Structure formats: C-alpha cells, structure tokens
Amino acid sequence: MSGILQEIASWTLTTLLGGLVGYLISLIKHGVGRDRAMDHGMQVLLRARLIDIHVKYVEHDEPCPVNVKEEADEVYEAYHSLGGNGTGTHLHEEIMDAHIASHAPHQSFGHPSGWPTAIGSQEDI
C-alpha cells in the first residue's frame, strides 16, 4: 500500500513542478518581450527629440541655448544607453558644435524644455 501512495505522490510532485517551470518560463518570455518593446519605444522618442533639436539649431542655423545643449546631452545619454546607433551620435555631435546663444530665448512651446504641454493644445500653435 505504501508503494502505491509513494507512486501517486511522485506523479503529483512531477506534474506540479512541470507546471511551475512552464509558468515561470512563460513569465520570463513575456516580461522580456515587453521590456524590449518599451526600450525600443523610448529609443524612438529620444531619437525624435534629438532630430527636433537638430532641425531647429543645426539645420535652421539658430543659436542654441546652453540649456538646450544640456538637454541634448541628457537625451543622447539615455538614447545611447538603450543601444542607440550612430545616427544619434552624429546628431548629438552636430548639436554640440552648434553656435551657442548669448541668452536663452523665449521658447515657442508651453513647457520650458520646448516639449508641447499636451497634444493638440493651443500652446502648440
């Protein structure tokens, strides 16, 4: 009789452990995929910010305030730490080489960093 109970306990334990391992693998797979998607999305947004700064201060040859250069440095550091490529490096280098403004001009957007305060808000117009 004890042999039968031992066999049942063995099968039960094997089934439970297999289910637990499968569950843990599923959590890891979905968690890693989501993290990659978040990292990629953040990288895209950071690159877009570098491009915006580059267009305004390099392509349009406007004097670049020091605070904008500092922002570009912070954006580039985050972009690069997420695995950003040479495009961001090139944009960053050209922004750093841009002429420095003697004073910080009034931003055309509602937020001091130049980012819009809300999508489609009146301050963006």
Side-chain angles (χ1 to χ4, degrees), residues 49 52-72 94-108:
R49 183 60 184 144
D52 289 345
I53 294 171
H54 187 271
V55 166
K56 182 170 184 174
Y57 297 105
V58 176
E59 292 180 21
H60 292 148
D61 201 30
E62 291 186 27
C64 187
V66 172
N67 64 324
V68 173
K69 286 190 178 214
E70 289 170 352
E71 177 189 358
E94 288 192 351
I95 292 167
M96 291 301 110
D97 290 341
H99 175 71
I100 298 175
S102 58
H103 68 285
H106 180 330
Q107 297 289 328
S108 60

Side-chain angles (χ1 to χ4, degrees), residues 29-98:
K29 272 185 167 178
H30 290 97
V32 170
R34 181 179 171 93
D35 288 346
R36 282 189 200 146
M38 293 294 286
D39 286 351
H40 181 70
M42 183 57 67
Q43 189 179 4
V44 168
L45 292 172
L46 292 167
R47 182 176 49 239
R49 183 60 184 144
L50 283 174
I51 290 170
D52 289 345
I53 294 171
H54 187 271
V55 166
K56 182 170 184 174
Y57 297 105
V58 176
E59 292 180 21
H60 292 148
D61 201 30
E62 291 186 27
C64 187
V66 172
N67 64 324
V68 173
K69 286 190 178 214
E70 289 170 352
E71 177 189 358
D73 262 342
E74 291 174 5
V75 169
Y76 174 73
E77 281 182 37
Y79 173 79
H80 189 69
S81 71
L82 290 171
N85 59 17
T87 302
T89 301
H90 178 74
L91 293 169
H92 176 258
E93 288 171 354
E94 288 192 351
I95 292 167
M96 291 301 110
D97 290 341

Side-chain angles (χ1 to χ4, degrees), residues 108-125:
S108 60
F109 295 119
H111 192 273
S113 71
W115 283 90
T117 54
I119 295 173
S121 71
Q122 291 298 319
E123 295 177 40
D124 293 343
I125 300 174

